[in-house]
Amino acid sequence: MLKTILYIAIGGAIGSVLRYLTTVVVSKFCPETSGFNFPLATFIANFVGCFLIGLFVGILAKNNLTDSQLKWFLVTGFCGGYTTFSTFGMENFNLFQSNNSLLAFGYMTLSILLGLFAVWFGLLLSK
């Protein structure tokens, strides 16, 4: 059990750092999004995270590793640290509070639909 927790913690730390770096890169290369109020970095992290979780789960299943330490490291740790649905909820709340309801609904719809597509595409690629 302690070994599993260590794998999750290491994966989560790596995912969290890469999540932060996603924000840094998006801020550097897409500074115009900050004035638009669209949370592009979170959107990208959620989309990429959904794709990766689909890819990892598919590859692990294909190789009979669904109960392995690698699953805890990649799926629970890394993807859990990288994706940001708690931030997603707070950002939507803030969009509603600032009377940007249309943008909030667009953000939620795109995040959910593209996230589901990304999981499906990750699973498809893993086969």
Side-chain angles (χ1 to χ4, degrees):
M1 170 117 156
L2 188 56
K3 191 175 179 182
T4 300
I5 291 171
L6 186 60
Y7 280 109
I8 293 169
I10 292 168
I14 293 168
S16 295
V17 169
L18 287 177
R19 169 65 184 98
Y20 167 74
L21 293 175
T22 299
T23 302
V24 170
V25 169
V26 169
S27 296
K28 182 175 181 172
F29 292 104
C30 301
E32 68 278 356
T33 60
S34 60
F36 183 59
N37 288 332
F38 186 79
L40 183 62
T42 301
F43 180 76
I44 290 170
N46 285 335
F47 180 75
V48 170
C50 286
F51 169 75
L52 289 176
I53 205 167
L55 186 67
F56 294 155
V57 166
I59 290 171
L60 291 167
K62 182 179 174 181
N63 293 290
N64 294 320
L65 296 170
T66 55
D67 217 11
S68 69
Q69 298 296 341
L70 193 56
K71 176 195 167 211
W72 296 114
F73 174 77
L74 292 172
V75 175
T76 306
F78 178 78
C79 288
Y82 184 69
T83 58
T84 54
F85 259 81
S86 58
T87 303
F88 170 78
M90 190 72 226
E91 288 170 340
N92 277 297
F93 179 81
N94 290 335
L95 287 171
F96 282 118
Q97 290 294 99
S98 63
N99 293 321
N100 285 313
S101 298
L102 187 59
L103 189 57
F105 282 118
Y107 179 42
M108 287 186 284
T109 301
L110 282 172
S111 294
I112 292 166
L113 292 178
L114 287 177
L116 290 170
F117 171 79
V119 168
W120 170 81
F121 189 60
L123 286 166
L124 181 71
L125 281 181
S126 70
K127 292 180 181 183

